[in-house]
Structure formats: C-alpha cells, structure tokens
Amino acid sequence: MQKNDGMNYAPKGKPNLVVQKGEFTFAAIALDHGHIYGMSNGLLEAGAELKWVYDQDPAKVAAFVAKFPQAQVAASEEEILLDPEVKLVASAAVPSERGPLGIRVMEHGKDYFTDKTPFTSLDQLAAAKAVAEATGRKYAVYYSERLHVESAVFAGQLIEEGAIGRVVQVIGLGPHRLNAPSRPEWFFEKDKYGGILCDIGSHQIEQFLFYSGCKDATVVSSKVANYHAKDYPELEDFGDATLIGDNGATNYFRVDWLTPSGLGTWGDGRTLILGTEGYIEMRKYIDIARDPQGDQLYLVNQQGEKHYSLHGQVGFPFFGQLILDCIHRTENAMTQAHTFKAAELCLIAQEKAVRVE
C-alpha cells in the first residue's frame, strides 16, 4: 500500500468471496485518480471479475494492466457500455466528469461505482438522481475513509452493538499531504475538482451521517482557505464545516492539504465519536511517534478503556455487499438515499463556504 501519497492509497484485505467465478463482471473506465486501484482491489477480493479497462491515456491503461493483467483493453468507452456481461462500471474520472459518466453508464443498464467526490455541482446531482430513479440502476460511491479503513468499519460495529450509547457528536480530521509535483493539472482547477469541502470533505460528511444515524443534516457554517499553496491560486488547502443532524447529533470536520513531510504517512486521519455512554477515537493511518501501523482504535465506556489494533483483523465488507446488492437489487452496502445525501451536503457546504485568508 502506498503510504506516502493518499492519491494512490489502495488497501488490500483478505479475500472474502461472495460470488462464484463468472457470476459478477465489472469494468474500469477513466483512471484519473489512483483510487481506482483500491476500488478494483476491493471488488476482486469479493469475487468480482475484471473484464475491461478503458482510458484515453495509454500510459494510464498500461499501468493498470500491469497491476491487473486480466483486464482487456477496450477500444472505446462504448465497447464496455455495450457489453452485456458487464454488470458494474468502476470509475475514478476527473471529479467534474464523474456525474456525466455515471449517467451514461446507468442509461446503458449498468450499475456505477465512482470515486468520491461523486459530483461537483448540485445540477449534476439532480441529473444523476433522475436517471437512477428512471433506470433503477445504482450510483455507488467509494467513500474510502470509512469503507476501506478497518478501524472505521469496526467503529460502526461497536456503535451498532451499543458500546457508546446514542451518538451525539462526530469530529472528523482529514489532513492530506499535497505532493504538488505528482498531481495532475485538474487537481488545481476549481471547476474540475470542485473545492476541498466537495472533494475530501465528502468523506467526513458521509461518516457523520453513518455513525450518527442521521438521514439529513443542516450545514450551519463552512469556510475554506488557501493558506500555503500560493502557487496554485485555485486550490483550497484548508476547509472546515459544522453540521447539525436531523436527530440532534452534531458534526465538526476539518480537511486540509497541510500534512508536513516529517509524518510517516500521507495524513494523520482521525475520527472522534462521542456517545451518551462512551466515546471512540480512531487513528486511521498512523499513531504518531508510537506506532507506524494504522487502524488503531480507542474505546472508553462504562466498562473501562480499551485499545484495539485492527490492521488485518476486520476486512472490508462493503465490496461484497455492493456486489450482492447489484445482483439482488438490495441496499445493504449503502442506501441510494444515503449516498446522494452525503454528496448533497458536501456540495452545500462548499457553496456556502466563506473564504478566509
């Protein structure tokens, strides 16, 4: 796994097959973000078969095929969309292109699995909602900071078991290392990446909705800044927001591109969850100056204090659930309403954000 650069974060878990060989086929279209590797890993570990890959850039295709040699190189996007064997298309396109691609995929009768952020405008969201409803196809999103982090999966299990009572607040910290020379041009263009709250803020809002059990929330305040990356005037290297959920739970999150080079990984991502009977802290990718291994979780409740080291212990059930949802038309991995609500709220937070300097 790449620990220095979050753009190429591609966790590997234990194979947990939910389908037999040939039962579920997917393809990859648009390889603009390295998350496509994590998305593909997760699906393959759950038993899906990767048939095709397509991107306009031959170098990206060559790198992908070197990693996944079973993938045939398609001559066009259409070749994949017209293949009746393909049930799901996974994509990590430029953010502003993810919504329109998803519409084309759903209109061809296939389910869609996109990297976050799934949209860069509320108009794109509205269009995708309409097509998803009309076609009955799924528009799934790779909110990886919960779905592909074992401590985050385990935290959800603890909450479901009642380990900390009713969740009343979620605090999310999502720092990232910029690594500017390694980034593509679109990464620094606001109309293409959508803004920091729209982009990496989408993880934080999705986590809040999930852990708190909210169906909706109000964005109370939000702000963005470019404090340090002055060579890239359209980049926002800091953002934060406060939300109140429809069940009274509250959320504060901060995201940034300010991780110093001395940290042993790409970002010291943390989540703190306060309940009426206890609290949880996750140190997702590193426990600084103590343990370079991520997936450290701390639980304090009425029974005492516990520390869990979870790397390699929990797995990533989302991918198998998604495959089975596509086959059986169920919603066990993530409901469509939840997927779209997280996207909507990050777009609203971005739209409302006050710019500070």
Side-chain angles (χ1 to χ4, degrees):
M1 188 199 312
Q2 172 58 262
K3 292 200 74 176
N4 189 52
D5 185 350
M7 189 162 180
N8 295 307
Y9 177 70
K12 288 187 176 181
K14 298 176 183 177
N16 184 19
L17 306 182
V18 300
V19 287
Q20 301 301 312
K21 184 175 176 61
E23 195 175 349
F24 189 83
T25 300
F26 78 102
I29 295 178
L31 314 175
D32 295 283
H33 197 292
H35 280 171
I36 191 64
Y37 290 89
M39 298 162 71
S40 299
N41 282 343
L43 290 167
L44 290 167
E45 288 164 3
E49 292 190 19
L50 173 58
K51 183 175 181 180
W52 294 105
V53 60
Y54 175 73
D55 189 278
Q56 293 181 339
D57 182 348
K60 289 189 179 73
V61 171
F64 188 85
V65 172
K67 181 72 173 176
F68 303 112
Q70 68 270 47
Q72 302 174 54
V73 179
S76 65
E77 174 186 301
E78 187 176 31
E79 184 172 10
I80 293 172
L81 296 182
L82 293 177
D83 183 348
E85 287 188 6
V86 175
K87 306 303 180 188
L88 176 76
V89 171
S91 176
V94 173
S96 60
E97 298 170 8
R98 290 171 186 169
L101 174 58
I103 286 173
R104 297 195 297 275
V105 169
M106 292 187 293
E107 286 178 339
H108 280 81
K110 304 182 189 305
D111 295 314
Y112 182 57
F113 181 34
T114 179
D115 189 17
K116 64 76 217 161
T117 186
F119 309 103
T120 54
S121 74
L122 289 165
D123 286 344
Q124 287 185 348
L125 169 62
K129 275 185 172 180
V131 173
E133 185 171 352
T135 62
R137 295 294 98 191
K138 294 184 181 296
Y139 194 112
V141 178
Y142 181 59
Y143 292 115
S144 58
E145 290 190 25
R146 182 177 67 82
L147 304 176
H148 228 164
V149 174
E150 288 180 284
S151 56
V153 174
F154 188 67
Q157 295 170 358
L158 289 173
I159 290 167
E160 187 175 3
E161 293 166 3
I164 61 170
R166 174 192 170 190
V167 171
V168 296
Q169 187 191 45
V170 179
I171 296 175
L173 304 175
H176 289 61
R177 179 174 287 139
L178 182 57
N179 278 337
S182 71
R183 301 288 177 177
E185 287 185 12
W186 61 258
F187 180 87
F188 302 102
E189 299 174 26
K190 180 77 176 290
D191 63 335
K192 291 184 178 177
Y193 79 88
I196 193 168
L197 298 177
C198 176
D199 181 19
I200 52 179
S202 62
H203 289 296
Q204 303 299 329
I205 290 176
E206 190 280 327
Q207 288 183 120
F208 167 58
L209 294 176
F210 177 78
Y211 291 131
S212 68
C214 292
K215 303 297 184 188
D216 200 353
T218 300
V219 179
V220 178
S221 67
S222 56
K223 52 187 180 291
V224 297
N226 182 340
Y227 286 128
H228 188 61
K230 301 302 185 184
D231 291 342
Y232 306 99
E234 292 188 43
L235 181 71
E236 295 162 352
D237 63 12
F238 176 93
D240 72 3
T242 301
L243 289 80
I244 300 177
D246 58 3
N247 63 2
T250 66
N251 175 228
Y252 170 80
F253 72 85
R254 186 205 81 217
V255 287
D256 66 75
W257 293 104
L258 299 171
T259 292
S261 58
L263 185 72
T265 187
W266 53 269
D268 184 14
R270 300 192 183 199
T271 306
L272 297 94
I273 307 170
L274 177 64
T276 53
E277 303 295 328
Y279 61 91
I280 291 168
E281 179 182 348
M282 285 172 260
R283 302 179 187 180
K284 293 183 176 180
Y285 310 113
I286 192 170
D287 200 346
I288 56 168
R290 178 184 171 277
D291 189 340
Q293 186 68 67
D295 284 310
Q296 308 293 332
L297 183 145
Y298 297 87
L299 167 67
V300 181
N301 62 11
Q302 309 297 1
Q303 284 70 52
E305 307 166 3
K306 288 186 179 179
H307 168 225
Y308 298 88
S309 187
L310 296 162
H311 180 72
Q313 303 300 309
V314 180
F316 308 112
F318 169 82
F319 300 93
Q321 291 170 346
L322 176 61
I323 290 168
L324 293 176
D325 282 347
C326 292
I327 293 171
H328 301 300
R329 313 317 296 170
T330 48
E331 290 196 317
N332 295 314
M334 186 182 296
T335 69
Q336 191 65 79
H338 177 93
T339 302
F340 282 150
K341 182 56 66 174
E344 177 189 355
L345 290 170
C346 75
L347 290 164
I348 292 171
Q350 185 71 51
E351 195 173 75
K352 290 181 62 169
V354 174
R355 176 111 181 177
V356 296
E357 300 295 339

